[in-house]
Amino acid sequence: MSDPQTPAPQPGYPAYSAYSAPQPLSGPPQARPAPAAPESPLGRIALIIVIVAVALSAALGITQQILILTTRNPLLFGGVGAVSSIANLVLFAPALILGILALRTPGRNIRAGIAVGVAAFGILQVLIGWIISGIVIPLIARGL
């Protein structure tokens, strides 16, 4: 068996052999990253509130659709819609506040970020729904 041929070293580079030990890199030692700070409990609470709010909103939305299909009483499904909007605001607003407070603390804030995004979207959805039902629909009904 023959030894592998090693190429001739090039100027400015050390000689390389297939059997040589790896050379340590020159330069300053790499700093180790600091251990991650623990996650804020406010972020976890905000995420739990957001999950409950989304589940309740979905359940009330399904209930509203069932009432539209089964009954012809607009006050009944309008009332479910109003309860859904108020429940969303009551749950999403504190989740947004807790999430923002959790984002201001050092550490991992993934759950808090998710809670802030979902809560902000939920509040925006309620406000857009109120604008549509309070302004746009009456204008359409008047023929404008």
Side-chain angles (χ1 to χ4, degrees):
M1 199 146 204
S2 65
D3 290 334
Q5 295 180 345
T6 57
Q10 300 208 357
Y13 294 101
Y16 173 77
S17 171
Y19 300 108
S20 66
Q23 300 289 329
L25 296 175
S26 61
Q30 297 293 328
R32 292 185 180 177
E39 189 169 349
S40 171
L42 292 177
R44 182 176 296 134
I45 293 169
L47 186 62
I48 291 170
I49 292 172
V50 161
I51 291 170
V52 169
V54 168
L56 181 65
S57 177
L60 288 173
I62 291 170
T63 302
Q64 189 176 18
Q65 295 303 316
I66 290 172
L67 289 174
I68 288 172
L69 293 174
T70 60
T71 183
R72 300 289 181 224
N73 188 356
L75 292 178
L76 188 59
F77 54 83
V80 172
V83 168
S84 176
S85 295
I86 291 170
N88 281 340
L89 282 182
V90 166
L91 290 172
F92 282 133
L96 181 65
I97 293 168
L98 288 175
I100 290 172
L101 290 175
L103 286 175
R104 296 176 58 89
T105 61
R108 296 184 346 213
N109 294 320
I110 295 171
R111 291 182 180 148
I114 293 170
V116 166
V118 173
F121 179 76
I123 291 172
L124 183 67
Q125 179 184 7
V126 169
L127 294 177
I128 289 173
W130 284 352
I131 290 170
I132 289 173
S133 65
I135 297 172
V136 175
I137 293 178
L139 288 176
I140 293 172
R142 290 186 186 143
L144 298 177

